[in-house]
Amino acid sequence: MENKMYSISEKELNSIEQQLFNQRGIWVAEIDGRKVPTWKDYAHEIERAFRFPTPCDKSMDAYLDWMTDLSWLNAKGYALIIKNVKDFIRSDPEKKEKVLHFFKDDILPFWQSDVEKYVVEGKAKPFNVYIIE
């Protein structure tokens, strides 16, 4: 299993969504980049999409903590679909890059294997991010 970020077309998304929704236990979250021009907007959307127990909009560390927990979802794996990525956190390109790097460097590797090292009885799970232009 390799957790990855994929850049895909809208057309490819239809096929991938079908596959994701046919897999039992996979939590699929979707965010429209047009609705998240700022970090704060993104934080609120990700809180909603993954049902965070408490807000994370005041701290990127809190956001990262919740994204590497997700225990309340009781899922076998995760998928995040980000549509209209060109509009995603468009007010702050540095924050946008930071969020995308968090997935690549922290969140996806955590769920791929690090969870087994750092969480008691932690189990690796698939987590993929699909970015649609």
Side-chain angles (χ1 to χ4, degrees):
M1 162 185 67
E2 184 178 3
N3 294 346
K4 291 176 63 173
M5 290 180 71
Y6 298 91
S7 288
I8 62 172
S9 69
E10 187 77 34
K11 187 176 180 181
E12 291 170 303
L13 177 61
N14 293 330
S15 171
I16 288 168
E17 279 182 321
Q18 264 187 338
Q19 292 171 20
L20 290 171
F21 290 122
N22 285 334
Q23 293 179 35
R24 290 181 183 232
I26 300 296
W27 187 270
V28 180
E30 190 171 302
I31 291 178
D32 184 345
R34 289 185 195 134
K35 295 180 181 178
V36 291
T38 68
W39 153 254
K40 201 167 197 122
D41 294 323
Y42 170 69
H44 292 296
E45 278 298 298
I46 205 78
E47 288 166 11
R48 178 199 56 76
F50 284 99
R51 298 184 180 167
F52 286 5
T54 61
C56 69
D57 62 330
K58 293 184 181 14
S59 165
M60 289 188 109
D61 289 335
Y63 158 75
L64 196 53
D65 285 345
W66 285 134
M67 290 302 292
T68 55
D69 183 344
L70 302 176
S71 58
W72 58 91
L73 297 176
N74 295 316
K76 293 180 181 176
Y78 312 97
L80 174 62
I81 298 165
I82 303 174
K83 293 182 174 181
N84 302 303
V85 76
K86 69 182 180 319
D87 294 320
F88 178 69
I89 313 179
R90 67 183 167 271
S91 70
D92 190 341
E94 284 183 30
K95 275 242 168 74
K96 175 180 181 170
E97 283 305 308
K98 196 167 194 172
V99 167
L100 295 175
H101 278 283
F102 274 151
F103 280 105
K104 185 179 166 199
D105 298 338
D106 298 301
I107 298 166
L108 302 182
F110 177 83
W111 287 109
Q112 183 169 321
S113 62
D114 292 348
V115 65
E116 295 174 344
K117 294 181 222 169
Y118 301 114
V119 177
V120 175
E121 297 183 29
K123 294 185 180 172
K125 297 181 181 185
F127 194 138
N128 292 295
V129 179
Y130 301 92
I131 296 175
I132 295 85
E133 295 298 326

